[in-house]
Amino acid sequence: MKWTDYFITTMKEVPADAVAPSHQLMIRAGLIRQVVAGAYTYLPLGYRSLRKIENIVREEMNAAGAVELHMPAMHPIEWWEQTGRVEAMGDVLVRLGGTSEDDWRSRTVLGPTHEEVITEIARAYLKSYKQLPVNLYQIQTKFRGEARPRSGVLRTREFLMKDAYSFHLGMDGPEGLDAQYRRMYDAYCAIFSRCGLPYVPVQAESGPIGGDASHEFMVPTGAGEDWLVRTQDGSYAANLERAEVAALEDAGGGTNAPLTEVHTPDVSTIDDVSQFLGCQPSELIKTIVFAADGEPLIALVRGDHDVNEAKLARAAGVQSLQAADAALIKRVTGADVGFAGPVGLKARIIADQAVTVMHDAVTGANKTDYHITGVNIGRDFEVKEVADIRTAVQGDRAPTGSPLVFEKCIEVGHVFKLGTKYSDSMDATCLDAEGQAKPMIMGCYGIGLNRIMAAAIEAFHDENGICWPVAIAPYQVVICALDMREEQVREIAQKLHDEMSAAGIEVLLDDRDVRPGVKFNDADLIGLPLRVTVGKRGLADGVVELRRRRTAETLKLPPDQITSKIAELLEMMVAEERTERPKNA
Ligand code: ATP
Ligand code: MG
């Protein structure tokens, strides 16, 4: 392909509103153009890369035995009502609007995901255990009413997802969900490895199902919105929501001070109380009242820690957890909001492990405008239930004992054991070997294609531009013909271009009549893995220059050796750029 015949829209200026490197570079390299907030055009170069990612995803899904279909973006809202997700999704669910009840638009939504639609298909066609397991996938546009689209294509309102859904009657054995989940997990490792991404699978929150029921695939980069928490040696990794912490040791201290009630008028937040009493937030016991499946539940954590509601729900064995309103707090503690404490409280209490090693602590007095100091567990109150119910913080250790390291990261993929949530609510049953109708057990597996592209740019760029991994680069080679007015340069450049194309190498020939500096800058910016420079001076010595974008290694070779060398190099680079499977995977 000749540059002048193609459509390349590089620009020098850094777009004012773009902060994330991938956002800046994708615009500057002419890969994308914003249409409205959260929706982008993929310009020709960008679209080539996206298609390559799509191919890798499709190949690995097919290799893992998943079967491709295609579902529409438009769904009837009834199905979403059946699964209770109109409420659960809130504004994320994009509705077409409509002016009246009988306007079809008011009964139609644009799918943020496709569990409802696929479950209806399973219900219609999967009748007997003999048909299972089935794993169906698609690569399709999703719509999500994200409140804040940001960082270019990392978070948009319209994006491409590969979503797969598997159906089973049991968890175990080769037909069961566990085996299929593993296969998808392995396929994801293969996909990210082929894309050259430094990925880390992490345990993710999976609600009441718990256990190893959900993993996210993370790419550590400063542009991410999520936190990856792992040990230095990589043997433990989880997202922040899920990360477990090792028990804190009892550091001793404390004087077994007497319980003392202190008047703290209008002083109710952790910060205000610690300031008022001249102590550290870590010396306070935070007492939080929840409504758990309708019953009051008290969580105790150290003042500088946060309750992790998912951990708490699991520890409590409850399905739903809501922060209590002022009325419930008053009923349980007898005080206004901000003055709760465990001493004398008659309700179910779960204490975080860190609370059990506190001495002479400060808590609310269960009396408006009062706190108490000198609170000691065992002496002043008992807790029957102790668990890890807080979010990890810097300085914590993993259950393995190694210190946890926190890194910003991007979630590029997610595998999830759904269980029977959708088959129950949509009545998708299948006859088992005994002829009994059972709700199908489901797994779902999603990958964001656009995010893979942006994450790769986040991981591989320098101050001059993108450094694409070969596997997902829009083209593999750019030929910079330095002086298109020189006949010999023109001829050799064209010959190399034709030779490479014939050898199946994807090559872009920069045949513009512009200064060398402009060509080199653009070549660096669009970041193709190899650059060939054909110039008058080199040709006088009988050579052209070959340069690897990522390492800046250069070679000078006679033109007739270039194509075979490039073929050899590309093969080597693809192998070299594949990422290793992480230790914890
Ligand atoms: P996030 O937590 O980032 O909002 P999610 O957990 O809601 O994502 P899933 O429902 O698990 O996302 O979707 C599967 C994959 O789709 C994600 O791993 C991600 O790669 C991609 N994805 C999700 N939301 C977006 C978005 N708004 N823009 C681009 N890609 C997205
Ligand atoms: Mg997710």
Side-chain angles (χ1 to χ4, degrees):
M1 175 60 71
K2 284 187 186 164
W3 196 292
T4 55
D5 289 341
Y6 202 48
F7 188 84
I8 300 181
T9 58
T10 53
M11 59 191 257
K12 266 220 208 76
E13 305 71 34
V14 178
D17 57 338
V19 180
S22 61
H23 188 190
Q24 296 179 353
L25 288 170
M26 288 178 84
I27 292 173
R28 289 188 53 217
L31 307 182
I32 54 168
R33 180 170 179 80
Q34 183 175 306
V35 176
V36 287
Y40 286 85
T41 294
Y42 283 76
L43 296 165
L45 268 187
Y47 195 54
R48 280 183 72 94
S49 172
L50 193 61
R51 280 280 171 252
K52 289 206 171 164
I53 293 165
E54 186 177 326
N55 283 341
I56 291 174
V57 170
R58 182 173 281 120
E59 278 174 24
E60 294 299 332
M61 292 309 290
N62 292 344
V67 178
E68 188 168 7
L69 50 38
H70 199 75
M71 295 176 269
M74 280 196 243
H75 308 173
I77 199 167
E78 283 81 358
W79 295 356
W80 288 79
E81 284 165 349
Q82 267 180 48
T83 60
R85 287 219 287 182
V86 173
E87 257 197 359
M89 287 267 167
D91 288 342
V92 168
L93 192 60
V94 177
R95 303 173 182 227
L96 290 191
T99 45
S100 68
E101 266 293 297
D102 21 282
D103 184 339
W104 65 274
R105 287 174 192 83
S106 67
R107 309 298 302 158
T108 306
V109 300
L110 294 179
T113 170
H114 279 71
E115 280 83 4
E116 281 75 2
V117 181
I118 201 81
T119 306
E120 193 277 337
I121 289 171
R123 179 175 67 191
Y125 298 114
L126 299 176
K127 303 287 187 194
S128 154
Y129 71 98
K130 290 180 190 151
Q131 293 168 282
L132 304 185
V134 165
N135 188 0
L136 296 168
Y137 82 97
Q138 65 171 348
I139 294 171
Q140 160 70 310
T141 303
K142 303 286 188 238
F143 296 88
R144 292 188 180 181
E146 301 279 0
R148 281 195 324 132
R150 62 183 289 267
S151 306
V153 303
L154 282 173
R155 181 172 300 284
T156 52
R157 294 188 175 135
E158 177 179 336
F159 59 96
L160 260 190
M161 198 200 286
K162 183 289 297 170
D163 44 327
Y165 307 88
S166 69
F167 296 88
H168 314 264
L169 277 179
M171 298 299 285
D172 307 326
E175 322 263 273
L177 173 62
D178 288 345
Q180 190 62 41
Y181 184 84
R182 252 295 130 184
R183 277 177 98 179
M184 285 296 105
Y185 183 107
D186 290 341
Y188 276 36
C189 290
I191 289 166
F192 298 125
S193 164
R194 281 181 66 183
C195 292
L197 278 181
Y199 71 97
V200 186
V202 301
Q203 295 175 19
E205 197 39 66
S206 48
I209 299 176
D212 62 351
S214 168
H215 288 87
E216 287 166 351
F217 289 77
M218 300 296 201
V219 175
T221 128
E225 291 179 54
D226 291 313
W227 284 97
L228 164 65
V229 179
R230 60 173 161 173
T231 56
Q232 200 92 54
D233 66 359
S235 61
Y236 178 84
N239 71 12
L240 179 56
E241 226 188 340
R242 172 81 209 196
E244 297 160 46
V245 296
L248 297 187
E249 274 173 34
D250 189 340
T255 56
N256 231 6
L259 274 188
T260 312
E261 198 172 87
V262 194
H263 189 214
T264 51
D266 281 335
V267 180
S268 60
T269 65
I270 294 288
D271 282 345
D272 289 350
V273 174
S274 44
Q275 219 164 50
F276 187 87
L277 296 176
C279 62
Q280 296 299 319
S282 59
E283 294 171 67
L284 270 61
I285 298 175
K286 216 191 288 190
T287 306
I288 302 175
V289 186
F290 289 92
D293 290 349
E295 295 293 314
L297 173 69
I298 313 292
L300 303 181
V301 293
R302 219 169 68 180
D304 58 333
H305 289 157
D306 287 320
V307 172
N308 179 316
E309 292 190 16
K311 284 185 180 180
L312 178 61
R314 236 188 338 269
V318 299
Q319 298 289 322
S320 89
L321 201 61
Q322 273 127 25
D325 56 17
L328 180 59
I329 292 174
K330 183 99 188 187
R331 182 155 67 80
V332 175
T333 70
D336 289 347
V337 178
F339 302 95
V343 180
L345 213 54
K346 299 232 164 4
R348 182 177 177 194
I349 298 180
I350 300 184
D352 182 65
Q353 183 275 333
V355 169
T356 65
V357 295
M358 292 173 74
H359 304 279
D360 294 346
V362 176
T363 73
N366 296 325
K367 185 170 158 191
T368 303
D369 288 343
Y370 285 89
H371 279 79
I372 38 179
T373 61
V375 176
N376 285 282
I377 194 165
R379 189 191 70 181
D380 306 317
F381 70 100
E382 298 285 345
V383 283
K384 294 200 197 79
E385 297 178 74
V386 176
D388 171 9
I389 58 165
R390 66 182 174 93
T391 303
V393 293
Q394 306 269 4
D396 271 324
R397 291 173 182 277
T400 56
S402 313
L404 289 171
V405 184
F406 288 61
E407 291 160 279
K408 279 270 187 74
C409 63
I410 298 170
E411 176 198 324
V412 284
H414 196 168
V415 292
F416 202 107
K417 293 180 188 172
L418 286 172
T420 56
K421 178 173 155 74
Y422 297 95
S423 40
D424 279 337
S425 52
M426 294 187 71
D427 204 20
T429 60
C430 191
L431 295 182
D432 67 10
E434 278 78 51
Q436 291 222 316
K438 293 268 170 63
M440 283 180 270
I441 296 172
M442 293 171 61
C444 72
Y445 319 94
I447 277 190
L449 276 62
N450 322 71
R451 269 203 196 163
I452 290 183
M453 187 169 164
I457 295 172
E458 290 294 338
F460 302 111
H461 69 271
D462 60 20
E463 65 281 6
N464 298 321
I466 302 168
C467 306
W468 285 110
V470 173
I472 60 173
Y475 285 88
Q476 298 164 335
V477 182
V478 59
I479 300 174
C480 290
L482 286 197
D483 191 346
M484 283 305 287
R485 287 174 216 177
E486 292 285 333
E487 196 184 333
Q488 198 197 5
V489 169
R490 248 189 353 251
E491 248 173 41
I492 303 257
Q494 183 69 47
K495 188 158 170 270
L496 287 177
H497 168 274
D498 297 348
E499 244 176 55
M500 285 184 218
S501 303
I505 295 167
E506 297 168 33
V507 56
L508 195 59
L509 168 58
D510 189 349
D511 58 340
R512 290 175 298 170
D513 186 12
V514 294
R515 282 182 295 108
V518 174
K519 293 200 178 195
F520 289 148
N521 285 346
D522 274 349
D524 278 352
L525 179 58
I526 66 172
L528 305 185
L530 292 173
R531 184 185 84 191
V532 175
T533 308
V534 183
K536 202 167 63 172
R537 240 182 284 157
L539 289 181
D541 296 334
V543 293
V544 297
E545 187 197 76
L546 176 58
R547 180 172 180 270
R548 189 168 171 186
R549 172 69 180 90
R550 206 183 279 184
T551 60
E553 289 165 276
T554 56
L555 270 179
K556 288 195 163 76
L557 286 175
D560 60 356
Q561 292 177 24
I562 283 284
T563 300
S564 58
K565 184 69 192 175
I566 285 182
E568 184 190 308
L569 267 179
L570 285 173
E571 204 172 308
M572 188 205 81
M573 286 159 69
V574 168
E576 196 179 285
E577 288 170 0
R578 273 184 193 237
T579 40
E580 301 247 336
R581 197 176 164 114
K583 241 192 193 165
N584 69 314

